Amino acid sequence: MTTTERPDAPDAASRETGAGSVRAAVGLLVLFELTSGFLQGGIAPLLPEIGRELSVPDADLTWVISAQLLAAAVSVPVLGRLGDLHGHRKVLRWALAAVALGTLLVALAPNLPVLLAGRVLTGPLAALLPLEIALVRDRLPLALARSAIARLVGALALGTLLGGVLTGAVHELTDDIRLTLLVPAALAAACVPVSFLAIPETRRLARGRLDLPGAVLLSATMLLLLSGVAAAKDDGPGLPALAAVLGAVWTRVELRTAEPLVDVRALADRRVAPFFLCAFAFGVVYFGGQAPDATFLAADPAATGYGFGLSALSISLVALPAAATAVVTSSLTARIAGRTGYVPALAVSFALVAASFLTTAALHTAIWQLVAAKILAGLGLGVALGAMPTVIAEASDPSRTGVTTALYNNVKTLGGAVAGGVMAAVLTASAPHAGATPGESAYVTVWLLCAALAAAAAALTLVARSAPAKTARGATTSPAP
């Protein structure tokens, strides 16, 4: 892979000045990640209220999460590659503008289709972190880049932590779901002009072009897959089978493309593949359980026989201890992995997540039981969240950092998108008729599925090899410390 310096490439002295500029700009990037986390963490506690406002059944609310993840699964590699080609700052601005428009549409949506359209426009949220990581790696020395990446990941986790609590508090004060949703919309809109401040552009640009056929085929495959999962109860396996065929065509196209959108060969490397499979499982358990957990907690026990009838604020407070635990363990990942090694640390983290969902499936009649189980999940998810981005970034070719880092995020997001469809199908199948409340057994099934996937991920990490991986030039790189 070749790169080209920008026409205004600086000399050694100005490069140093540029590094200082990026260090100052990291604070602005941290603001974007705080906002990103706020938007991602703030939606789940509001889902029951959104459902009541728009008359959407509980089972269909999972599509509010899945629509954003579906868009993210496509936009992450596309925007990552565009950043490599045209500059990560420029593409970052495009992504922030799309997110701002999407959050406004969500706040004003009169019905579910418009709401889902707004959520699709917020898909580029998942691309912000890869673009920022590529930017700081291009402009900063390795040690400073590591520190900046850690701050960005920490800001994302903190924003997620604050998002649920603050949006829940706003709803408690206003008792108006529209006004509540306008708060994150205002935050997203404010980020757009901020992105035109002191953020320098990428210095080294890749040569090549965007793999447009790969992007189109990936989009169509994802749409067919999720539509098929949603319609499987009534229409059978037709759409999922068609999605599998189209996915095979997409894989073949990517293998034959000189500059593929997704490096399929990297996914198949036995040294790396287990970690990408773990990323898929991470997406399922992290994103897939958000909507079911919220609707379970909000369910009226007098009408359904389960749940606690909680408000948006109460739902966010139930999730707060687990989110705080994840933030702490994420920040301590380097120390933990430094003592145990990354493979054992990841294996234990996924084992804790599996134990959490098993506990929830068995014990969910008291709030303290759910809180205790979710703290276990927070311990594991925090370590998994903190470990992978830096490892993948440091193993990548500098000219393709954006698209390579995006690959991990894409696989994780794909897991979440597929999980949303599966969870919706499970909850819908248990309802006696369309629009009815799901049965308690459906929630237990969701938790058991997440437990099984987390346990499988724990086993997969032990399959991973610590041998050096080959770079695009045929050289070898040592495993991340």
Side-chain angles (χ1 to χ4, degrees):
M1 181 55 163
T2 59
T3 62
T4 179
E5 293 281 338
R6 297 179 60 82
D8 56 345
D11 57 21
S14 59
R15 284 172 190 266
E16 183 62 30
T17 303
S21 176
V22 175
R23 288 198 295 270
V26 166
L28 299 180
L29 302 182
V30 165
L31 172 63
F32 299 156
E33 283 310 307
L34 279 170
T35 303
S36 175
F38 190 96
L39 297 180
Q40 295 179 61
I43 192 69
L46 299 177
L47 288 178
E49 293 296 332
I50 292 174
R52 281 189 280 270
E53 175 73 16
L54 301 180
S55 301
V56 179
D58 286 353
D60 291 342
L61 288 173
T62 59
W63 291 108
V64 177
I65 302 293
S66 291
Q68 191 265 339
L69 295 174
L70 170 62
V74 178
S75 64
V76 166
V78 170
L79 294 181
R81 181 59 178 153
L82 288 174
D84 289 339
L85 292 172
H86 303 293
H88 300 98
R89 180 185 66 178
K90 180 186 297 183
V91 178
L92 182 65
R93 290 170 177 170
W94 298 346
L96 288 170
V99 170
L101 179 59
T103 52
L104 181 61
L105 198 57
V106 167
L108 302 178
N111 51 47
L112 182 60
V114 176
L115 174 66
L116 295 181
R119 291 290 291 168
V120 166
L121 284 173
T122 64
L125 272 175
L128 298 184
L129 184 60
L131 290 169
E132 292 158 356
I133 289 175
L135 180 60
V136 299
R137 284 205 71 218
D138 175 82
R139 304 289 304 212
L140 293 178
L142 179 60
L144 293 177
R146 286 178 173 177
S147 175
I149 292 171
R151 290 172 62 187
L152 291 172
V153 173
L156 176 62
L158 179 59
T160 305
L161 177 67
L162 296 175
V165 175
L166 294 182
T167 53
V170 170
H171 185 266
E172 194 80 7
L173 291 173
T174 64
D175 196 28
D176 189 323
I177 190 61
R178 301 288 183 182
L179 288 177
T180 303
L181 290 171
L182 282 173
V183 172
L187 289 174
C191 287
V192 177
V194 170
S195 68
F196 285 85
L197 299 180
I199 300 175
E201 181 56 281
T202 306
R203 189 171 54 235
R204 292 170 294 184
L205 299 180
R207 297 181 186 273
R209 59 182 178 82
L210 175 67
D211 175 21
L212 188 58
V216 172
L217 286 171
L218 177 61
S219 302
T221 301
M222 287 293 301
L223 186 59
L224 281 175
L225 178 61
L226 295 187
S227 300
V229 170
K233 180 181 178 182
D234 300 321
D235 300 338
L239 286 178
L242 185 58
V245 172
L246 194 58
V249 173
W250 170 76
T251 301
R252 189 175 182 85
V253 168
E254 295 299 271
L255 289 172
R256 293 187 170 189
T257 301
E259 297 289 341
L261 180 70
V262 175
D263 189 352
V264 177
R265 288 186 175 87
L267 288 172
D269 190 322
R270 70 173 187 173
R271 294 175 295 260
V272 182
F275 291 109
F276 281 118
L277 290 173
C278 288
F280 182 87
F282 181 96
V284 172
V285 300
Y286 184 75
F287 295 112
Q290 290 182 1
D293 285 353
T295 55
F296 182 87
L297 289 168
D300 181 2
T304 63
Y306 62 83
F308 304 93
L310 299 185
S311 66
L313 177 60
S314 298
I315 291 172
S316 63
L317 291 176
V318 169
L320 181 61
T325 302
V327 170
V328 172
T329 54
S330 176
S331 66
L332 296 176
T333 298
R335 293 185 182 182
I336 295 171
R339 292 178 178 273
T340 66
Y342 274 92
V343 170
L346 285 173
V348 171
S349 70
F350 278 110
L352 289 172
V353 174
S356 166
F357 280 105
L358 283 175
T359 302
T360 304
L363 303 171
H364 49 264
T365 56
I367 290 179
W368 71 264
Q369 295 170 343
L370 297 174
V371 171
K374 291 304 178 186
I375 288 176
L376 275 179
L379 287 169
L381 292 174
V383 173
L385 182 67
M388 296 185 189
T390 299
V391 173
I392 292 177
E394 293 186 1
S396 68
D397 186 307
S399 67
R400 290 182 64 86
T401 301
V403 71
T404 305
T405 308
L407 182 58
Y408 156 67
N409 286 275
N410 195 52
V411 172
K412 180 180 68 175
T413 303
L414 175 63
V418 172
V422 172
M423 303 315 177
V426 170
L427 296 179
T428 301
S430 72
H433 57 82
T437 303
E440 181 180 0
S441 61
Y443 289 97
V444 174
T445 300
V446 165
W447 294 324
L448 289 176
L449 284 173
C450 289
L453 275 174
L460 279 170
T461 58
L462 301 178
V463 178
R465 298 290 185 264
S466 60
K470 289 186 178 181
T471 67
R473 295 181 177 86
T476 59
T477 58
S478 299

